[in-house]
Structures are given as structure tokens and as C-alpha cells.
Amino acid sequence: LDLAFDWAKVGVDKGLATNPTLGTGFVAGFRTAGRSERPGFAWFFGRDALWTAFALTAYGDFERAKLALDFLANVQREDGKVPHEISQSASYIPWFEEYGYPWHSADATPLFIIAQADFYEQSGDLEYLRSHWPAIKKAFAWSATTDPDGNGLINNEGYGHGWLEGQVYPVYEEIYMQGLWIKASEDIAYLAEVFEEPALAREARGWAERTRNATEDTYWQEEAGFYAATTGKVEGADAAAYYNGSWVLPAVPFWWGTLDHDRAQLNLDEIAGAGIATDWGARILHDQNLHYDPLSYHNGSVWPLFTGWASMGAYSYGRPHAGYQALMATALLTWQDALGYVTELLSGDFNTAFGRSSHHQVWSEAMVITPAVRGLFGLSTSDGGRMLRIAPQLPANWPFARINSVPIGDALYDIHIEREAGTYTINVTRKSGEGRVELIEFAPAFPLDADVTGATINEVSAEIGRETAGDIQRFGITAEFPEANTTAVFAVDGGTDVHARAEFSDPGARSQQIRVVRSAVKNGVLELVVDGVAGQSYELVLTGSVTPVAGTELTEDGHLRVSFEAGEGYVRRTLRLPLK
């Protein structure tokens, strides 16, 4: 993971390009031109740059993040829409006036707002935010016009597609876009308060709540137990199956925790399962959908971008097994095909990139970085960098993690996590800069049967808060006006969990690895929901002590072996193992 993370930063950095007439921004990626006249995705791309900007901010390349945002602000349309595709030749032809390519997509505009807020939260650069405030407000104003029927859901038809461009197109409204719009509305409400514009803050909060409610009412399918992907104007059973089947797209609103907790848990059972999750990443839709095509760009392929959405969505709702498995599926692609790069898209059935896949794709690189920093290690900032939250969800067998040179404002912080018998320690050291952090919240994840009996900050007893989400519980303590070296120690007793080791998938192979969909202790029982290949057995690292049940056994080294009966393909088992 360390090496993949380093290579991902290199891959992101190589996406920065300077055009002598357009300026400096991010292209989507590079590959040989082949039969095309364009070398890969070497145009400037709006949404690619913005999904990548979250990674730039996460590891602190604030200067390149500003270049990405500046470029898009400079080519923003007068009415506020942010373009998606900008040819390297755009200065020499009427690109923005007579070509449709810049305006085919609608998602870059709300993403522009979200990325601006994300940048401010970690950098604390209020003056930079102020310089972009007019462009941010224009982006919000344009997006707010895209709900002509007033149902609370922003439209794609007539305004540009969201994600789907595929078989049953055009879609009318899409859950991907609603997730972006809810978050963009929440963010501009917050930024409006920063700039003391209460009327705009009220309007934006109203949009966020209205769209959240409409999304729940429109997309949730109670009987199926997951959210639909789209609403559309194409009639017939085939179209209904396409729209209402299981997709990875709800992971986008899950990323920011904007939808109902209990419904998200059910939907994540689908996203974490073998119908969507492969050894090399997440399919866009379930492989049992009648429109599934493993070689279709938008109807079955695996994208590291989707896999990053799935990882972030899982971590946001307390599903660390699904989050980690998705993160590592992408990270391990660093050693496949073009070494050091994560490719654009792969087959849904076999671990191999498409022939037309761009071997270097910046948002694929970004999805090694963001889920690691924001999900696995749970690092986030708020209040313009004044509040730091450390909420790691470490795998069961990790005794420590060290995250060095975490950038917040003008300072760098080292964060060291140590787990020993009876204690969980997090140390934060400001290694350079004056720093602007005024509050640190320590909120590590524990198994549901762990008991935290006390906590200290710099050896002084601290009040503990507790919350549960998904398969974990968090015990939180807060350090106000923290010292340059601040240590939080949790006294912890027990905790039962499993861990599936991340393994390389052979190039060209089908999925073989186990999917740990859920691992949670309830009423003295470890409940495991696992997907595995029929006739195979798998070994899981086990912490704690359980009594085996049929189809399971404890190995000599204390691990848990799970076996699946003979059959075909992946099957799901729900195991209830009593705690000893």
C-alpha cells in the first residue's frame, strides 16, 4: 500500500499539463493514440480533474489543486456551467461556441463546488476561496436551474448527462447527480456562512434537504433493498430492469454520508458482494443485470474510479471490510500492465484492461489516495482547517500505522497509531509550521463487542463519546487547543473481528477471492456475511475467540477457515459463530 500510494502521487502529478494558449490544468491521462487522433485522454477534462482534486488536497499538493481549480474557473461558461472536455486546440477553433463536447456533461458543475469547499477545509486559504467565490456561486445558480419540473431532483435531460451514457440513454434523472447536488448544496451553505450571506445559506440548505428527501422517495426500492440508479423516459420491462437493478452509483451519495443509514447498509451488501465487487475492482452494475456486458464501457466494466466510490461509501457508513477490499483492489493494479500506473477500465469478467483503456488515468491514481487518507485512516478537516478528525478503520491484524507529513494549512503533522493488548494509542505531532488546528477529535473504530473503559489526552482523563455505524463503534474524545505533541490513549478490552488478506489477482483470471460483506458482533455472536466461489475454502485472520460452526474450522495458528459447498460461481454464506 505504501508503494502504491507513492506511485499514485507520481501518476497524478504526471496528469498536469501546460498549454501555451489555454494555461495549466489536468488532462485525464495518456496512452498511445492507436487508431485515434488523440493520445489517450490528453484533452483537459473537468470532472476528471475534480475527482482528482480530492486526492491532491488529501496529500497536500495545494498548489496543483489550485491550478486544477483555476483552469476550470477560467473556462467556466457565463451562466455558471463548468465544462468537461477542452481540446488542446480549443484556442484555435470556436470550441466553446460551436462544439458540443465541452457541455455534454452536467456533473463537473456541482463537483466544482465540492472541490472548492474541500480545498478550503484542508488548506484554510480563505483569500483563495474568496477569489473563486463568484465562480462558485455561479456554478450553484446554474445547477439550481436544472430542476424544471420542481420535484427536487436535478435533471440530466436538456442539461448534460451525469454518469450514464449507455444502453438505455438518455436518463432523465440520476442518483449520481443527486448525490453531488446534495453535497454541493451543503457545501455552499457552509461557505455562504463563512462569507456572511445568510440568504444564500438558507436557500442552499433548503436545496440539500429537498433533494435528499426526493432521492429517498424516488430511488429507494424497499423490496429489493437498494437504491435505483436512474429514472428514465424509456418504457418497458427491459428499461425498468436496467434502471432499477443494483448499481455502484449509490456509492457516490454514500461517500458523503447523505442518505439513510439503515438503507445504505442494505445497499452496501450489494456493492460489497461478488455481483459488483471483483478481485480487481467494482463493476458499474451487478453481473446478473440482463443488460450486463463485461466489455461495455458503461454497462459492466470495472473502473478504479467506481472502486474508489465504493471504498469511500463503505468507509463512510462503517463498513471497513468492503472499504479495504476495494481500496486494495485498486492499489494492487499498480503492478499490472503499465507498471506504476492504474489503468482506466477493465473487463467485468476477467482481470484485464480493455484494449482502449488509457494505461495512465489520473482519477484511477486518485482512487488509491483518497480512500486511503479519508477512509482507511479517517483523516478529515473542517472549519477551514481548525478542526482535525482522526477516525481510522484499521484492518483487524494491523498493529500500527504511521501517516507522516499530513498537511493542514501551512503545517505538517505526523500521526502515529499503535495497538497493543489493552490500549489503542494515537499520537499527533506538529513537525513544521505554525499550524491552525484548534481541535482534534480522536474517534477510532472498534469491533462492536470491544469495551473502552477509559481514555486520556496527554495523560489527563478525557470524557468519552460513543456512536455506532454499520459494523463498527467509535469512542471519541476531543483535545481543545492541542499541544504540538498530543497523545490520546484508549483503554480497550476485547474485540472480535476477521480480516481477509489482500492478494494479487493473476492477469486474465476470473474473480476467486472471498468477499467479506459484513463482520459484526451481535448478542454474543460474530455474524459473518461472506461471498466465495463454490467448492473453495478461504482463511481469514481472526481476532478474538469464537466457536466454529458447520463449514468453518479454526486453524493451528488461530485463523478461521471458511468452506463453500460445491456448485457454480460465487455463493453467499451467513455464518453465526458464538463468542467464547
Side-chain angles (χ1 to χ4, degrees):
L1 180 59
D2 292 345
L3 191 55
F5 192 93
D6 285 346
W7 275 114
K9 289 192 290 184
V10 172
V12 167
D13 195 53
K14 286 187 176 182
L16 193 70
T18 297
N19 181 297
T21 59
L22 291 169
T24 300
F26 275 85
V27 299
F30 293 103
R31 67 173 171 85
T32 54
R35 296 178 181 177
S36 163
E37 295 177 351
R38 181 178 73 184
F41 287 90
W43 288 355
F44 297 102
F45 279 77
R47 67 179 175 206
D48 296 62
L50 291 165
W51 280 115
T52 304
F54 300 128
L56 290 162
T57 300
Y59 69 79
D61 195 344
F62 296 145
E63 291 308 309
R64 284 174 177 78
K66 287 196 290 189
L67 288 172
L69 297 173
D70 286 344
F71 183 91
L72 295 175
N74 289 336
V75 293
Q76 183 181 29
R77 203 165 67 186
E78 186 58 35
D79 64 358
K81 188 174 185 180
V82 175
H84 174 46
E85 299 187 24
I86 301 99
S87 166
Q88 296 288 349
S89 304
S91 298
Y92 304 104
I93 55 177
W95 178 256
F96 298 102
E97 296 78 25
E98 296 184 16
Y99 290 82
Y101 300 110
W103 315 116
H104 282 330
S105 305
D107 53 345
T109 307
L111 272 168
F112 180 75
I113 299 169
I114 301 168
Q116 296 277 359
D118 184 71
F119 177 81
Y120 170 67
E121 288 289 53
Q122 185 135 343
S123 70
D125 193 338
L126 182 60
E127 290 311 306
Y128 180 79
L129 181 69
R130 192 186 308 277
S131 71
H132 276 221
W133 184 229
I136 297 169
K137 289 198 291 184
K138 284 168 57 177
F140 175 76
W142 180 83
S143 295
T145 66
T146 64
D147 178 24
D149 56 11
N151 67 351
L153 302 172
I154 60 173
N155 288 21
N156 292 120
E157 188 177 52
Y159 300 97
H161 62 73
W163 188 257
L164 293 177
E165 311 168 28
Q167 188 165 346
V168 190
Y169 179 75
V171 299
Y172 185 55
E173 299 153 339
E174 187 179 330
I175 197 169
Y176 166 82
M177 289 297 296
Q178 311 315 321
L180 297 181
W181 179 230
I182 293 167
K183 177 59 175 172
S185 298
E186 291 174 342
D187 282 347
I188 203 162
Y190 163 65
L191 298 179
E193 291 172 345
V194 170
F195 289 115
E196 298 181 350
E197 297 188 26
L200 177 57
R202 285 193 299 272
E203 179 189 358
R205 277 194 297 269
W207 265 111
E209 193 60 25
R210 186 162 57 250
T211 302
R212 181 183 291 106
N213 292 336
T215 300
E216 296 284 2
D217 293 342
T218 303
Y219 292 98
W220 177 249
Q221 301 178 90
E222 184 66 34
E223 187 174 339
F226 49 76
Y227 291 93
T230 72
T231 57
K233 290 189 172 180
V234 181
E235 302 296 334
D238 283 2
Y242 180 75
Y243 291 137
N244 299 326
S246 179
W247 292 74
V248 78
L249 296 180
V252 173
F254 292 169
W255 178 317
W256 292 290
T258 56
L259 297 182
D260 179 83
H261 175 272
D262 292 338
R263 290 176 173 180
Q265 297 301 325
L266 293 172
N267 203 148
L268 284 165
D269 291 349
E270 289 283 312
I271 292 174
I276 287 181
T278 72
D279 295 349
W280 52 93
R283 300 180 178 104
I284 190 172
L285 80 167
H286 199 286
D287 67 352
Q288 297 305 304
N289 189 296
L290 63 87
H291 289 281
Y292 171 74
D293 177 355
L295 293 179
S296 168
Y297 197 69
H298 273 302
N299 283 338
S301 57
V302 167
W303 294 44
L305 175 68
F306 308 153
T307 313
W309 295 345
S311 181
M312 284 297 297
Y315 278 123
S316 293
Y317 283 87
R319 300 288 290 274
H321 299 87
Y324 183 75
Q325 288 176 153
L327 164 62
M328 292 307 298
T330 300
L332 293 179
L333 291 175
T334 305
W335 286 268
Q336 186 168 306
D337 299 320
L339 295 180
Y341 291 120
V342 180
T343 195
E344 177 199 3
L345 74 162
L346 304 95
S347 162
D349 280 356
F350 299 98
N351 180 21
T352 186
F354 279 26
R356 60 193 175 104
S357 176
S358 179
H359 71 271
H360 168 252
Q361 195 81 358
V362 290
W363 62 14
S364 297
E365 318 285 351
M367 292 308 168
V368 176
I369 295 164
T370 310
V373 176
R374 304 293 193 212
L376 173 64
F377 299 128
L379 304 184
S380 62
T381 50
S382 57
D383 195 19
R386 296 180 183 87
M387 173 75 177
L388 167 63
R389 188 170 194 255
I390 307 171
Q393 298 182 54
L394 300 187
N397 66 332
W398 280 28
F400 70 90
R402 295 171 187 160
I403 312 101
N404 296 324
S405 301
V406 176
I408 305 171
D410 65 349
L412 296 177
Y413 296 82
D414 287 346
I415 300 172
H416 291 184
I417 304 167
E418 304 283 345
R419 295 198 296 194
E420 298 175 330
T423 61
Y424 191 123
T425 303
I426 304 176
N427 172 263
V428 181
T429 301
R430 189 174 73 238
K431 64 187 295 185
S432 68
E434 294 299 318
R436 61 188 289 111
V437 174
E438 298 174 2
L439 291 170
I440 302 178
E441 181 187 7
F442 301 90
F446 297 91
L448 290 173
D449 64 324
D451 184 19
V452 172
T453 58
T456 62
I457 294 177
N458 290 342
E459 301 184 344
V460 176
S461 181
E463 184 177 346
I464 307 173
R466 178 181 179 272
E467 62 180 22
T468 61
D471 294 347
I472 63 166
Q473 58 179 338
R474 296 190 186 279
F475 291 90
I477 58 178
T478 302
E480 297 183 3
F481 303 102
E483 299 175 17
N485 191 313
T486 302
T487 300
V489 180
F490 296 83
V492 58
D493 182 25
T496 308
D497 202 359
V498 299
H499 172 64
R501 296 185 184 91
E503 298 177 359
F504 285 96
S505 172
D506 291 335
R510 288 187 179 272
S511 269
Q512 295 291 327
Q513 297 172 27
I514 193 169
R515 312 257 87 83
V516 179
V517 178
R518 302 208 66 161
S519 172
V521 174
K522 301 175 183 177
N523 301 319
V525 173
L526 175 62
E527 184 173 293
L528 290 179
V529 180
V530 288
D531 288 358
V533 176
Q536 299 293 318
S537 64
Y538 303 88
E539 192 171 294
L540 301 174
V541 176
L542 174 67
T543 59
S545 184
V546 300
T547 300
V549 296
T552 70
E553 61 178 312
L554 295 177
T555 65
E556 290 184 0
D557 53 5
H559 295 168
L560 181 69
R561 182 173 290 118
V562 179
S563 299
F564 292 82
E565 294 181 357
E568 293 186 2
Y570 270 89
V571 293
R572 176 161 294 184
R573 293 197 65 189
T574 299
L575 305 168
R576 295 178 174 86
L577 299 103
L579 303 187
K580 285 187 178 178

